[in-house]
Amino acid sequence: MDHLILARSLFGTTMGFHIIFATLGVGLPLMILCAELLFQKTKDRDYAIMAKRWTKGQAVLLGVAIPTGTIAGVQLALLWPGFMEVIGKVMALPFQIEIYAFFIEALFMSIYVYAYDRLTPRMRIFSVTLVMLGAAASAILITNVHAFEGTPAGFRILNGEITDVDPWAAFFNPSFFVTAAHVAVSAFMTGAFIIASIAAYKMLRNKNNERLYQFHRKALMMGLVIGGIFSLLTAFNGHESAQMLHEYQPEKLAAAEGLFETQSHAPFTLGGFTDRETQTVKGGIEIPWLLSFLSGDSFDTVVIGLNDFPEEYWPPLFVHTLFNVMIIIGTFLIMLSVAGFVWRKFLKKDRFPKVFMWAFVLSGPLSLIAVEFGWIFACTGRQPWVIYRIQKTADVVTSSEQIGVLFILFSLVYAILGIAVVLVLLYYFKKNPVEKDIAKAANKDINV
Amino acid sequence: MEMTTDALIAITVLWGFVFIYAVMATMDFGAGFWSMFYINKEKTNATNIANRYLSPTWEVTNVFIVAIVVALVSFFPGATFILGTVLLIPGSLILLLLAIRSGFLVFSHIAKSYEKALTYVSGITGFLIPGLLILVLPLTHGGYITVEDGLHRLQLLSLLTSPNALSFVAFAISSTLFLSSLLLADYSNVSDEPEAYYIYRRDALIMGPISLLMAFCIMLTMRTEAAWLYTRMMDYLPWLIGSVATFLVAGIAMYLPSRKSGRTGRPRIAVIAIVVQYLLASYAYGRAHLPYMIYPDVTIQSGFTHPNTFRALFITYIIGFAILFPGFIFFWKMFMGDKEYLRQKNS
Ligand code: HDD
Ligand code: HEM
Ligand code: HEM
């Protein structure tokens, strides 16, 4: 494989691994906060138990989220030194502010975890809130760098020199708000569905133990409600993201849709594989006019096709599949959470049918897949640019060799960490089952 | 060579982060090592003390290394370009070790039945990291980076076989063990754990002279390998002498009787003296190093960021610290100042 491909694979693997833990690091604190709030409101100890158990899980995940994030940050400078030179001169603010967000999260996470028993309920809620805000802020800020890569602003390059630098204009680049919001709400959604998944699985396992079943059903409903709200927000905001692409990176949208000819009343193609030779999407379902409507809120919006761009600027055509999977998953999860909510709260059914339960179990992994695919779409769809229309990825890659060896080593370490983290979580929650926590909480009640 | 105030402020901030990280990381990695080293001595609590310090702090310590990288990239993008290029291999090695170390550190606290095996993994990897990290210093002294067709290349082999670089490595490892044992001595003293205290006190008394010796080795080898830096450091001789003097102060403090605890040694005074010692020595080193970031190609001026970006960053630094300061105070109170937390018996 050639040097550039190896460097891209290495960085992509790092990001693909980090994002799993990073997304949960944003999503779980919201769930923990909601559980703490519900506990204060209802005085139902089950919610306190949930908050405690999820925090334990989150603390383990941080053991991977933090080092992989550190790797991501340093690797940016190691693999793409030319890119980081521009970032350092123009777009340093988000990285800098992110440090403060990390500090807030790290300080209050430690306080929340290790000083839990010494905190008043109000201080506990205050601490988790800061953990959640810190995590969300770090996601938003790092995404801002990604947004800048797609819609650069705040500088010019004259004869190879960077001039007219306006760091705040770079910070508030055109796609910042839309993109950052999409990442934040999709992370909240993912955290909620992961909880729903686990709860549903446990309900399937504990059908006959009413106490446990009820405990997990509370967690499931929390996951479905929060997941439902945020999946709706994700979809609305995803629609805006697509319109942003229409305006600023039309060839990315065209590749996402497999659209070759510029046209008004453009169709939206669901599924299928884009074929470069015949310039069609094979095996897809065409929904007439929809793409024009999505892009500009009217059917006669002209959507630019790939043929209007030189072929060397085309993103890889498989991004069509990534984009589609993300949308299908998003739509499916909205419907699932609405259906689940209606079934329980309006039809007042005590049990869910089996298909329902298995769909809930899948909801968390599906969200994570949507996150992965969305990111690979967003980063790969930007190719061949690292900074859109300004800097090519091929021009910024490190000149050092031996990336192949590093790629193998890093993949190995990610595999080790990935397996270990799963084993450790399984081990811990097997050793400390919910029953134990419930019993402990009950004893406390007697003592009080 | 001219240096603007902006560039001086920036390098001072960067140097401040490096110093804080150096102190916190040596304590962090050292505590990891000691918690491994004493894991079979169940009675003494030495491992528990190390863990009690380590559990809440490693995350915060880690943020500092990220802060260093970010400060480097944002203040000195020109230097980042060259450093990023030549550090690919050693930097990646550090990252790999760091990932294993942090991961297994957390795992070892959760999976109690496998605690020992997991602690060994994190203890050993953590112990290697400072030795590798410090290689960045001799690298910037010049002579290990060649330029062919405009491409920068690291002569890794000649770096790894240079007596000066090796002295730096030995110094990093011995000071890691020294600083951490001293801090843990103080920590066990405050926690009223006399057995652990005497163990860590003994370790500090062994490691202290060794790390001072390593520091002398650095100076000795630097004289031939980076003569420019050696001569300049000699201009700051009073600082270096002061540094050795504070080391002696710390040594004496460890033998003074304490009326309050009834034990031999005043570890708090020793810790403060040692931090002052490192501060003085690294000031002399850093001052002599200026204006070079990487000798002789990159100065703090040539690699400096765009002035507009610097100004914006500077403002966020002030606001950021104003916001964070109360957080740090609260954190300190919770874990360093709370007698109840420190004296808990069995965790
Ligand atoms: C749970 C995850 C999830 C779900 C259900 C969706 N997305 Fe998404 N999407 C992401 C998670 C995500 C992401 C991983 O967070 C991305 C990657 C980069 C980014 O900004 O967000 C993303 C990127 C992304 C982009 C590209 C932005 C860019 O290239 O800069 C578009 C156009 C959309 N999304 C649109 C949608 C639409 C129309 C959805 C309909 C439901 C949708 N997304 C659901
Ligand atoms: C966290 C989720 C992310 C994933 C899964 C991801 C995935 C990828 C992948 C697969 C590549 C290789 C592209 C290719 O070879 O086609 C890549 C490249 C890259 N990504 Fe991302 N990315 C993520 C987030 C980010 C963010 C937040 C940034 C901004 C700081 C970013 C910046 C880059 C850069 C600079 C490159 C290298 C240059 C390039 O290929 O354009 N990525 N990423
Ligand atoms: C959009 C994708 C990303 C999200 C949602 C995200 C989110 C997170 C979260 C929640 C954490 C844990 C923070 C903590 O506990 O301190 C984290 C850690 C980290 N992330 Fe990411 N991140 C993303 C992409 C990136 C990228 C591209 C980089 C590299 C530039 C990066 C650098 C880091 C670093 C350095 C850490 C460790 C911070 C520490 O030491 O505490 N992240 N990230």
Side-chain angles (χ1 to χ4, degrees):
Chain A
M1 268 198 279
D2 88 325
H3 187 65
L4 175 63
I5 302 273
L6 279 172
R8 283 161 59 178
S9 314
L10 173 53
F11 192 72
T13 309
T14 298
M15 291 316 307
F17 191 61
H18 175 62
I19 194 64
I20 300 173
F21 302 91
T23 305
L24 295 177
V26 176
L28 286 182
L30 178 75
M31 296 302 288
I32 298 170
L33 174 63
C34 289
E36 280 278 6
L37 288 171
L38 275 174
F39 169 56
Q40 292 308 329
K41 185 159 170 277
T42 61
K43 299 288 172 211
D44 178 349
R45 276 191 187 277
D46 282 6
Y47 290 111
I49 296 174
M50 284 176 210
K52 221 175 126 224
R53 294 174 69 81
W54 299 343
T55 305
K56 204 75 185 180
Q58 166 66 10
V60 176
L61 294 175
L62 274 181
V64 181
I66 291 178
T68 53
T70 310
I71 291 179
V74 182
Q75 244 174 26
L76 272 177
L78 296 178
L79 291 176
W80 320 105
F83 167 68
M84 281 315 260
E85 199 174 1
V86 177
I87 294 293
K89 286 197 176 133
V90 183
M91 193 56 182
L93 281 174
F95 274 113
Q96 184 55 54
I97 302 172
E98 188 178 24
I99 296 293
Y100 309 131
F102 283 151
F103 269 128
I104 290 183
E105 174 176 6
L107 288 170
F108 285 92
M109 190 72 197
S110 290
I111 289 172
Y112 182 70
V113 173
Y114 294 101
Y116 189 89
D117 303 325
R118 289 179 284 149
L119 294 177
T120 59
R122 276 180 61 182
M123 278 313 289
R124 274 209 286 267
I125 287 174
F126 176 71
S127 301
V128 201
T129 308
L130 285 184
V131 171
M132 193 214 39
L133 290 178
S138 44
I140 286 169
L141 288 158
I142 192 69
T143 303
N144 193 10
V145 180
H146 166 79
F148 171 84
E149 293 179 65
T151 56
F155 73 112
R156 287 193 309 150
I157 295 194
L158 265 186
N159 311 322
E161 283 291 313
I162 296 175
T163 60
D164 296 334
V165 173
D166 179 348
W168 289 108
F171 189 96
F172 293 106
N173 65 78
S175 62
F176 169 44
F177 288 109
V178 190
T179 309
H182 196 56
V183 170
V185 289
S186 64
F188 289 141
M189 156 185 176
T190 308
F193 279 119
I194 283 286
I195 293 295
S197 281
I198 299 170
Y201 181 76
K202 289 285 181 185
M203 285 161 74
L204 283 170
R205 276 303 170 90
N206 292 297
K207 272 195 213 97
N208 303 321
N209 182 333
E210 192 56 28
R211 178 71 184 88
L212 285 186
Y213 190 87
Q214 277 179 10
F215 177 91
H216 291 301
R217 197 173 54 200
K218 286 177 205 164
L220 175 70
M221 290 318 291
M222 249 179 96
L224 286 186
V225 170
I226 296 173
I229 294 171
F230 281 103
S231 53
L232 258 178
L233 292 176
T234 304
F236 283 130
N237 172 273
H239 172 61
E240 273 177 64
S241 299
Q243 297 195 337
M244 180 276 293
L245 290 187
H246 170 69
E247 194 175 340
Y248 293 99
Q249 288 172 275
E251 63 268 47
K252 198 183 205 175
L253 186 66
E257 279 311 319
L259 186 76
F260 287 88
E261 290 306 326
T262 301
Q263 52 190 278
S264 64
H265 303 85
F268 181 93
T269 317
L270 202 60
F273 296 93
T274 318
D275 186 47
R276 197 179 282 264
E277 304 307 320
T278 57
Q279 303 215 331
T280 51
V281 179
K282 287 199 171 144
I285 309 162
E286 264 194 22
I287 307 169
W289 299 8
L290 185 59
L291 180 58
S292 279
F293 186 76
L294 285 180
S295 306
D297 295 331
S298 83
F299 295 116
D300 47 19
T301 305
V302 176
V303 184
I304 306 177
L306 283 170
N307 287 337
D308 279 20
F309 301 96
E311 200 168 335
E312 55 177 319
Y313 289 177
W314 289 10
L317 296 182
F318 66 82
V319 297
H320 173 64
T321 309
L322 301 174
F323 183 59
N324 269 190
V325 171
M326 176 171 70
I327 292 179
I328 293 170
I329 291 178
T331 317
F332 171 71
L333 290 179
I334 295 174
M335 296 191 307
L336 181 68
S337 37
V338 171
F341 190 74
V342 168
W343 187 267
R344 175 89 188 93
K345 293 286 167 188
F346 291 105
L347 304 181
K348 307 261 184 230
K349 303 271 189 190
D350 199 44
R351 303 270 155 165
F352 292 100
K354 214 158 189 170
V355 246
F356 240 141
M357 292 304 293
W358 282 108
F360 293 147
V361 172
L362 282 180
S363 65
L366 282 176
S367 293
L368 271 178
I369 290 173
V371 168
E372 289 280 356
F373 280 27
W375 273 109
I376 300 174
F377 162 52
C379 273
T380 305
R382 189 181 57 236
Q383 302 306 317
W385 305 103
V386 60
I387 299 178
Y388 182 64
R389 293 279 167 93
I390 290 183
Q391 200 178 43
K392 280 201 169 154
T393 312
D395 297 335
V396 299
V397 66
T398 178
S399 53
S400 304
E401 282 131 23
Q402 277 139 1
I403 298 188
V405 181
L406 293 179
F407 180 43
I408 295 172
L409 284 177
F410 275 102
S411 305
L412 203 71
V413 167
Y414 297 150
I416 293 174
L417 287 176
I419 295 170
V421 80
V422 172
L423 291 179
V424 167
L425 285 172
L426 288 177
Y427 166 91
Y428 179 81
F429 287 110
K430 199 161 265 166
K431 276 254 154 144
N432 300 279
V434 180
E435 295 92 302
K436 221 160 130 184
D437 281 340
I438 292 179
K440 251 194 243 162
N443 280 341
K444 237 188 228 159
D445 260 348
I446 298 166
N447 290 345
V448 166
Chain B
M1 186 89 41
E2 215 182 315
M3 295 183 271
T4 57
T5 347
D6 284 359
L8 271 177
I9 293 175
I11 195 73
T12 311
V13 171
L14 180 60
W15 178 85
F17 279 143
V18 172
F19 186 78
I20 297 174
Y21 181 70
V23 174
M24 288 188 71
T26 46
M27 297 191 173
D28 184 61
F29 293 126
F33 177 83
W34 295 119
S35 88
M36 168 188 90
F37 197 75
Y38 290 118
I39 199 161
N40 287 322
K41 289 200 169 181
E42 267 123 31
K43 276 200 307 275
T44 60
N45 247 344
T47 288
N48 285 341
I49 293 274
N51 280 336
R52 204 177 300 158
Y53 169 78
L54 203 50
S55 312
T57 49
W58 77 270
E59 254 186 276
V60 181
T61 308
N62 191 75
V63 181
F64 275 101
I65 198 171
V66 183
I68 292 173
V69 175
V70 167
L72 185 70
V73 170
S74 52
F75 285 143
F76 302 102
T80 311
F81 182 83
I82 300 181
L83 280 176
T85 307
V86 300
L87 283 177
L88 181 68
I89 304 283
S92 297
L93 274 181
I94 295 171
L95 291 174
L96 288 167
L97 289 174
L98 201 65
I100 298 271
R101 194 269 176 171
S102 312
F104 281 72
L105 177 72
V106 171
F107 300 159
S108 71
H109 295 167
I110 302 276
K112 289 289 177 202
S113 323
Y114 305 96
E115 189 173 4
K116 277 190 190 165
L118 296 169
T119 304
Y120 274 107
V121 176
S122 73
I124 291 171
T125 44
F127 169 74
L128 296 173
I129 295 171
L132 279 172
L133 270 177
I134 207 164
L135 281 176
V136 178
L137 296 183
L139 189 88
T140 62
H141 299 169
Y144 304 109
I145 299 174
T146 54
V147 186
E148 296 160 34
D149 316 326
L151 297 182
H152 295 264
R153 246 173 240 282
L154 173 64
Q155 302 311 118
L156 192 60
L157 201 66
S158 63
L159 178 69
L160 291 179
T161 50
S162 127
N164 190 222
L166 292 176
S167 319
F168 268 102
V169 172
F171 172 73
I173 294 180
S174 53
S175 356
T176 300
L177 298 182
F178 172 45
L179 269 177
S180 56
S181 50
L182 189 63
L183 178 88
L184 289 172
D186 182 38
Y187 208 68
S188 12
N189 192 37
V190 187
S191 314
D192 252 334
E193 298 270 4
E195 283 172 51
Y197 168 69
Y198 280 113
I199 289 179
Y200 285 126
R201 175 178 174 275
R202 182 201 61 205
D203 293 332
L205 289 176
I206 297 173
M207 292 316 299
I210 296 183
S211 43
L212 189 69
L213 192 72
M214 293 305 144
F216 282 122
C217 283
I218 290 181
M219 292 308 289
L220 217 67
T221 48
M222 187 190 285
R223 212 167 149 172
T224 47
E225 288 191 44
W228 69 274
L229 186 58
Y230 181 80
T231 357
R232 282 156 170 261
M233 274 184 85
M234 282 306 126
D235 294 344
Y236 295 91
L237 196 59
W239 297 82
L240 295 176
I241 293 173
S243 158
V244 176
T246 46
F247 176 80
L248 295 176
V249 170
I252 294 167
M254 287 312 275
Y255 284 100
L256 289 180
S258 157
R259 204 170 305 141
K260 209 166 83 202
S261 71
R263 295 187 271 271
T264 314
R266 306 284 289 272
R268 182 58 56 87
I269 298 178
V271 167
I272 293 170
I274 292 298
V275 171
V276 174
Q277 180 210 345
Y278 279 66
L279 205 58
L280 294 174
S282 55
Y283 178 79
Y285 171 83
R287 215 39 249 248
H289 206 294
L290 284 184
Y292 299 104
M293 297 279 290
I294 305 170
Y295 184 83
D297 303 324
V298 188
T299 64
I300 58 171
Q301 211 56 57
S302 66
F304 197 53
T305 194
H306 196 279
N308 293 353
T309 300
F310 174 78
R311 231 158 288 143
L313 285 172
F314 193 70
I315 295 170
T316 67
Y317 266 97
I318 293 174
I319 299 174
F321 278 99
I323 294 173
L324 281 175
F325 199 65
F328 278 106
I329 303 266
F330 187 45
F331 186 78
W332 178 272
K333 268 200 180 144
M334 279 324 231
F335 298 112
M336 310 284 158
D338 186 338
K339 294 262 173 344
E340 226 174 283
Y341 175 75
L342 292 172
R343 297 206 176 135
Q344 60 188 330
K345 278 294 169 204
N346 48 357
S347 88

